[in-house]
Amino acid sequence: NGAYAFDGDDYISLGNTSDFAQSPFSVAVWVKFSSFDTEAIFSRFESVPAGWELLTDSQRPRLVIGNGSSGGAVAGSTSMNTGQWYHMVATFNSGNVTIYLDGSQDGTGTQSLQISTNKEAKLGQSTAFNANYLNGSIAHAEYYNKELSSTEVSNLYNNGSI
């Protein structure tokens, strides 16, 4: 099915590249969970904290943002279940964060962001703590150097392209 399976102790390194250190940005991924804890999905975050991390917390999608001295998060409102595929998107532009789940807006908020992190980008593990491994599957993880519009997110969910 083209998905990568994660069993709670592995990850995929995407390298340490400035490609994942742009603002504005959007991250999009299809994900299915086998269990829930705090599950890192797509991460480029330092324990300083600086950078960003798409994860789940309390079974809800969440984008954690760090500004170099403190961190915060914007969470979605929908509680997800195990064994079901979800399309998660997080966008960031000028401090504004929007979380989408299955093509629909699920949460908004504001956070400052320090882009200059030297950590590698990873799928399936938190780069900040080398922990919070994903127990589930990821397909079609994508990073965009722009804020996707709600129409583009809907097109990506429904048609597979923006």
Side-chain angles (χ1 to χ4, degrees):
N1 63 8
Y4 294 99
F6 299 85
D7 61 5
D9 65 358
D10 45 14
Y11 65 92
I12 296 172
S13 173
L14 303 175
N16 185 355
T17 173
S18 62
D19 292 343
F20 297 110
Q22 306 293 320
S23 180
F25 73 87
S26 300
V27 291
V29 63
W30 281 95
V31 62
K32 179 170 69 171
F33 303 96
S34 299
S35 65
F36 280 103
D37 193 2
T38 300
E39 309 282 332
I41 299 165
F42 203 148
S43 180
R44 190 165 200 262
F45 197 71
E46 289 187 62
S47 58
V48 171
W52 56 268
E53 184 167 68
L54 180 63
L55 53 84
T56 63
D57 191 23
S58 301
Q59 294 180 248
R60 296 179 302 148
R62 184 177 178 124
L63 184 68
V64 177
I65 302 289
N67 67 7
S69 61
S70 64
V74 174
S77 60
T78 302
S79 182
M80 296 177 288
N81 299 307
T82 59
Q84 179 178 339
W85 283 102
Y86 293 95
H87 187 249
M88 294 173 60
V89 177
T91 66
F92 175 84
N93 189 9
S94 301
N96 297 308
V97 176
T98 305
I99 304 290
Y100 296 89
L101 189 64
D102 291 340
S104 299
Q105 184 176 303
D106 196 51
T108 62
T110 58
Q111 291 293 326
S112 57
L113 178 63
Q114 174 83 21
I115 293 287
S116 60
T117 177
N118 291 319
K119 286 292 206 174
E120 67 183 315
K122 293 181 180 178
L123 294 175
Q125 181 197 31
S126 172
T127 54
F129 308 106
N130 293 323
N132 298 344
Y133 288 94
L134 175 66
N135 195 341
S137 300
I138 291 177
H140 306 288
E142 299 170 298
Y143 179 92
Y144 297 89
N145 288 327
K146 69 177 202 163
E147 176 186 22
L148 295 178
S149 69
S150 59
T151 299
E152 289 172 319
V153 170
S154 179
N155 287 342
L156 193 59
Y157 172 66
N158 291 310
N159 306 320
S161 66
I162 57 173

